[in-house]
Amino acid sequence: MLVLGLSGGCDAVFDKYFKLFEDAHHDTAAVLMQDGHVIAGIEEERLTRIKHTGKIWRFAVLFCLEQANKTLEDIDYFAIYSNEDVLNKVLKQYQISNPLLAEIGDARQLYRYLFQNEFDFCLKDNQLVFVDHHITHAATAYYMSGFSDSLVLTIDALGDTLSTNVIDVRNGRFDNLLSKSESDSLGILYLDVIRFLGYRIYDEYKVMGLAPYGRSHVYREQLQRFYTLLPNGDYAVHRERRFELFNITSPRKKDAPITQVHMDIAAALQEAIETIVLHILRHFQQVTGHARLVISGGVGQSSSMNGKILYSGLFEDVFVPSFAGDSGCAYGAAAYTTHQMQPELPLARVTHANWGTPIHDDEISDTLEAWRTFLHTEKMDNRSEQVSDLIIDGAVIGWVQGRSEFGPRALGNRSILADPRVATHKETINAMIKMRESYRPFAPSVVEERVRDFFEVPGENSDFPFMSFVLNVKPEWRTQLPAITHVDGSARLQTVSRVSNPRYWELIDTFGRKTGIPILLNTSFNNNAEPIVDSIDDAVVCYLTSGLDYLVVGDYLARKKAWQPKDMENLIISLPKAARLLREDCYISHSERGFTYSLVWNYDSARDFDFDPTQQPRALSEVSYKVLQAADGEHSVSQLMFALGFSKEQQSQVLDELPGLWSERLLVLRPESKRR
């Protein structure tokens, strides 16, 4: 039986027709499952290159079908991660303010319309399955864990009117024990406070990384006023008291300096969330007697919290997937539907999430050769030996192997790798490559056989493949592993299996054989403006526009040539599908009018200028505006400038501006042989 799980919104990448669920449906993804096993799964952002996109799952669906060599006609069920009744109510609210949507009708008609419009496919009513938001979260963690019985905790900002669920699962039967509404949302409480600290949605992990620099006791009493612990594992959140933060300090402006006050608030916030969650778990573990726990939902991606739960000893085993957030709901919807339809299917632990775009060894050479103006490439005789030597010599490597990982974390197939013993790597990678805050920590990848040698691992389980737990580095190793040891002596570790990821395991093992430390610094292969790289071309672009020393794709090693902006003129240029060019006739002073040129985005994500008032449209010169306006994905920069009749000075101006726009992913550049 084939089941296609879907999470995300309704609008095409280039439009804002429906504008439905913009605050709820994000991190669009599709997962294709056959008899309980994933054939393919990918987030839409990897393919459209739009971070956290909530646009419709068009390209993710096409990818899954292509990988499986199937068509939509072959799919038995389409699983949607939302409660049907809730969707119908939401649709009616939208239809009141926008009568044009009235013809769509209810949720089933909506999805029939979407499939007809996007794929020319007639979706039958009996193929469409709606799964409650929190059930999809629960199913994601439960079915991946392989446990037959477990306590399930899902914590989100909001989904289908609920924010927190505690569920007792025994042999696939889901019995709800506690549900909390939006008014008691821990996710929204967290967002309230981090906004005060100058952060915004999708920045939660940044504040988690900031918290260890703070002193939780300083503002413990103030944060304790934001919630009340109630009997029987219950709690209440008092959002109206968030304004009491003004008694401590003023809201931090974006990009303003981070002070000790901000760090202390972050520490108290992290402690508050952990206190509430442990209060819930203590009660329901005692009530149910469960020895195993699984966690999902956006707040479940707090690896610091998960580490505290593991150390608490409440449970013998705790499982958290790397995609506990909403992209994972595509998996959860597919898994829940599959097991409801086929209850006889066995349960088994899922050990990896390498379900995305494959890198085939026979395509690497030709793809890299197309970038020959910018790259020197060579095929290595012994990949692990040569790459480990480069890392030992101090190089920072972009590493691309096999199928890309599903979810927000790079687990060894689309990673930036470095020597964990070099303290300066932390600052170098944050500043020159990731272009992000200097305090942000990096994760260690360790061969699973040696994890207890370097980390304080509670209990019997030592399998942590999804980078979901922060554990303590053993004191005797902290000074020897400065690049991956956080300020509080902890690290968000990943164990690497020789069976699940042999290439990555071999590299770490080779590094360990030479240094005595089978650990590598691992962070996602991207910069601050884009999702994790997916294709070889994505990797090349990120490599060329960052401070990475080398790029490794399969058995090939690439080094940058000393390229200049003029070398970009022969690249084919196009605009991202979500980009909009603006030419505005406006006053530029009290007495003078003129034209301004800019680029904006049309989607509800981290770079939507309407969604985030702190963002500003990207200003363009008139000549760059004209080139982008003419860009069609068929002609090179030089061809367009010639057709536009640009002078040498105008051409020089365009070529001076292109590297910055390229680095910010505001345009797409490809070699001529990669023309689209």
Side-chain angles (χ1 to χ4, degrees):
M1 186 177 76
L2 285 169
V3 178
L4 183 64
L6 301 171
S7 65
C10 301
D11 282 323
V13 63
F14 50 81
D15 70 18
K16 273 192 170 184
Y17 176 73
F18 287 103
K19 299 184 181 180
L20 300 176
F21 325 125
E22 289 188 338
D23 58 343
H25 286 194
H26 51 85
D27 293 297
T28 295
V31 171
L32 182 59
M33 189 174 286
Q34 184 169 28
D35 298 329
H37 298 285
V38 174
I39 301 175
I42 199 165
E43 293 167 297
E44 187 78 3
E45 70 168 22
R46 299 293 186 95
L47 303 174
T48 62
R49 311 307 299 156
I50 300 171
K51 203 169 184 178
H52 295 297
T53 182
K55 296 293 188 176
I56 197 169
W57 14 258
R58 174 182 176 83
F59 297 102
V61 167
L62 293 175
F63 168 83
C64 289
L65 295 173
E66 179 184 2
Q67 292 301 303
N69 194 25
K70 302 290 184 182
T71 67
L72 287 172
E73 284 77 10
D74 298 316
I75 307 301
D76 295 294
Y77 295 100
F78 298 82
I80 311 299
Y81 89 126
S82 287
N83 178 284
E84 184 175 3
D85 291 337
V86 172
L87 278 182
N88 284 333
K89 290 178 182 178
V90 173
L91 275 172
K92 288 178 181 177
Q93 292 172 0
Y94 279 104
Q95 289 165 354
I96 291 172
S97 58
N98 185 358
L100 293 176
L101 295 178
E103 62 189 57
I104 296 297
D106 61 16
R108 289 184 177 271
Q109 289 176 297
L110 170 65
Y111 279 93
R112 285 201 300 269
Y113 171 85
L114 294 175
F115 273 92
Q116 186 68 49
N117 190 57
E118 290 292 328
F119 307 110
D120 194 24
F121 174 71
C122 183
L123 181 65
K124 299 180 180 65
D125 253 2
N126 61 2
Q127 292 180 293
L128 195 57
V129 180
F130 292 91
V131 185
D132 288 2
H133 183 101
H134 281 270
I135 290 295
T136 63
H137 277 313
T140 299
Y142 171 72
Y143 288 115
M144 287 188 68
S145 73
F147 302 148
S148 60
D149 301 339
S150 71
L151 189 67
V152 179
L153 175 66
T154 68
I155 325 175
D156 217 342
L158 182 65
D160 288 343
T161 74
L162 299 177
S163 62
T164 298
N165 267 18
V166 181
I167 305 171
D168 181 356
V169 185
R170 300 179 191 269
N171 294 316
R173 177 185 172 88
F174 289 65
D175 292 322
N176 199 64
L177 303 177
L178 175 71
S179 293
K180 303 297 291 183
S181 68
E182 177 181 1
S183 62
D184 291 312
S185 170
L186 299 185
I188 294 177
L189 171 63
Y190 202 90
L191 282 171
D192 284 341
V193 179
I194 73 170
R195 285 188 176 113
F196 196 87
L197 297 177
Y199 296 93
R200 49 161 297 178
I201 189 170
Y202 309 126
D203 286 342
E204 295 90 339
Y205 59 97
K206 298 180 183 180
V207 181
M208 186 186 72
L210 181 64
Y213 290 90
R215 302 160 298 180
S216 59
H217 70 275
V218 175
Y219 297 117
R220 178 178 295 144
E221 184 177 344
Q222 286 87 339
L223 267 293
Q224 284 177 341
R225 287 179 48 76
F226 291 9
Y227 65 91
T228 300
L229 301 181
L230 301 172
N232 301 319
D234 203 355
Y235 69 93
V237 169
H238 312 300
R239 285 190 65 203
E240 70 279 3
R241 294 178 180 171
R242 66 192 184 277
F243 300 111
E244 295 178 9
L245 291 171
F246 283 90
N247 298 330
I248 300 173
T249 186
S250 300
R252 172 177 166 264
K253 296 179 181 178
K254 184 179 180 181
D255 298 326
I258 296 172
T259 69
Q260 188 62 50
V261 171
H262 301 128
M263 298 176 191
D264 293 342
I265 293 173
L269 171 65
Q270 185 68 33
E271 182 184 76
I273 297 297
E274 292 167 358
T275 298
I276 298 169
V277 170
L278 285 168
H279 169 73
I280 297 168
L281 293 176
R282 286 191 188 96
H283 172 78
F284 287 103
Q285 191 284 324
Q286 193 171 41
V287 168
T288 63
H290 278 302
R292 297 178 178 87
L293 169 71
V294 301
I295 304 172
S296 195
V299 180
Q301 293 192 156
S302 174
S303 50
S304 294
M305 178 189 75
N306 298 336
K308 296 287 194 334
I309 295 169
L310 200 62
Y311 279 128
S312 74
L314 286 171
F315 301 90
E316 293 176 9
D317 203 353
V318 181
F319 179 85
V320 186
S322 56
F323 40 89
D326 278 12
S327 66
C329 289
Y331 176 95
Y336 185 81
T337 301
T338 293
H339 285 273
Q340 291 298 305
M341 302 298 179
Q342 297 175 285
E344 72 281 1
L345 289 176
L347 299 175
R349 176 69 67 99
V350 176
T351 59
H352 70 84
N354 303 327
W355 306 325
T357 299
I359 299 299
H360 299 295
D361 291 339
D362 57 0
E363 71 175 328
I364 298 172
S365 178
D366 288 344
T367 302
L368 293 177
E369 175 62 19
W371 291 94
R372 59 189 175 275
T373 302
F374 301 85
L375 297 175
H376 292 289
T377 61
E378 64 177 88
K379 188 172 185 179
M380 295 176 283
D381 297 326
N382 190 317
R383 177 185 59 248
S384 294
E385 290 288 336
Q386 290 177 249
V387 175
S388 62
D389 284 341
L390 292 173
I391 293 174
I392 290 169
D393 287 341
V396 182
I397 307 289
W399 173 263
V400 177
Q401 306 288 331
R403 296 183 72 169
S404 59
E405 306 94 334
F406 182 86
R409 290 174 180 155
L411 302 172
N413 284 8
R414 300 292 187 275
S415 292
I416 291 173
L417 307 177
D419 189 335
R421 303 170 302 164
V422 180
T424 55
H425 277 333
K426 183 176 178 181
E427 288 71 29
T428 299
I429 297 172
N430 272 327
M432 296 179 59
I433 298 167
K434 303 286 281 185
M435 303 171 205
R436 65 185 199 178
E437 298 90 345
S438 61
Y439 66 82
R440 301 268 294 279
F442 292 108
S445 294
V446 57
V447 294
E448 62 181 3
E449 299 87 346
R450 300 285 306 279
V451 62
R452 291 183 181 274
D453 294 344
F454 300 93
F455 301 93
E456 296 176 349
V457 181
E460 297 182 2
N461 180 46
S462 57
D463 177 25
F464 306 102
F466 294 117
M467 211 180 282
S468 297
F469 296 89
V470 167
L471 299 182
N472 294 326
V473 181
K474 286 190 171 181
E476 63 268 28
W477 287 106
R478 292 175 186 176
T479 57
Q480 299 182 62
L481 297 169
I484 57 88
T485 302
H486 207 17
V487 64
D488 61 352
S490 69
R492 178 165 55 93
L493 81 156
Q494 174 205 5
T495 57
V496 180
S497 163
R498 188 173 195 170
V499 175
S500 299
N501 198 333
R503 290 191 179 190
Y504 191 35
W505 184 95
E506 181 185 77
L507 175 63
I508 302 171
D509 183 66
T510 303
F511 179 85
R513 179 164 41 80
K514 295 176 179 181
T515 65
I517 298 177
I519 299 173
L520 288 177
L521 179 157
N522 173 19
T523 188
S524 57
F525 192 171
N526 64 331
N527 71 9
N528 64 328
E530 65 176 341
I532 300 172
V533 302
D534 196 63
S535 68
I536 300 174
D537 284 322
D538 296 335
V540 170
V541 171
C542 190
Y543 172 59
L544 292 176
T545 56
S546 71
L548 284 168
D549 297 306
Y550 296 95
L551 172 64
V552 175
V553 185
D555 288 329
Y556 285 83
L557 177 69
R559 293 181 292 113
K560 296 170 192 166
K561 292 181 178 178
W563 62 276
Q564 301 297 321
K566 185 170 175 58
D567 295 322
M568 302 172 71
E569 67 182 6
N570 293 320
L571 295 176
I572 307 300
I573 185 170
S574 60
L575 272 178
K577 286 187 171 63
R580 292 184 290 146
L581 289 173
L582 297 183
R583 176 179 180 266
E584 297 180 292
D585 184 349
C586 57
Y587 278 97
I588 57 177
S589 71
H590 286 295
S591 59
E592 183 182 1
R593 286 176 59 170
F595 288 105
T596 62
Y597 305 90
S598 61
L599 183 149
V600 297
W601 300 87
N602 77 337
Y603 58 88
D604 54 325
S605 186
R607 294 169 71 188
D608 182 350
F609 306 116
D610 295 328
F611 183 71
D612 181 2
T614 66
Q615 297 279 358
Q616 295 295 324
R618 177 56 154 85
L620 301 172
S621 68
E622 182 178 3
V623 288
S624 290
Y625 170 87
K626 288 181 177 179
V627 168
L628 292 177
Q629 186 182 39
D632 57 4
E634 296 292 331
H635 295 88
S636 69
V637 176
S638 62
Q639 289 171 332
L640 294 177
M641 292 193 298
F642 177 80
L644 291 167
F646 282 1
S647 66
K648 288 185 177 180
E649 289 76 17
Q650 290 173 316
Q651 293 179 37
S652 178
Q653 184 179 1
V654 170
L655 294 175
D656 285 343
E657 293 179 17
L658 283 185
L661 295 170
W662 199 23
S663 180
E664 296 173 48
R665 305 297 184 264
L666 299 177
L667 49 78
V668 179
L669 293 171
R670 293 284 184 264
E672 188 171 2
S673 61
K674 304 294 291 186
R675 181 180 290 154
R676 292 181 175 177

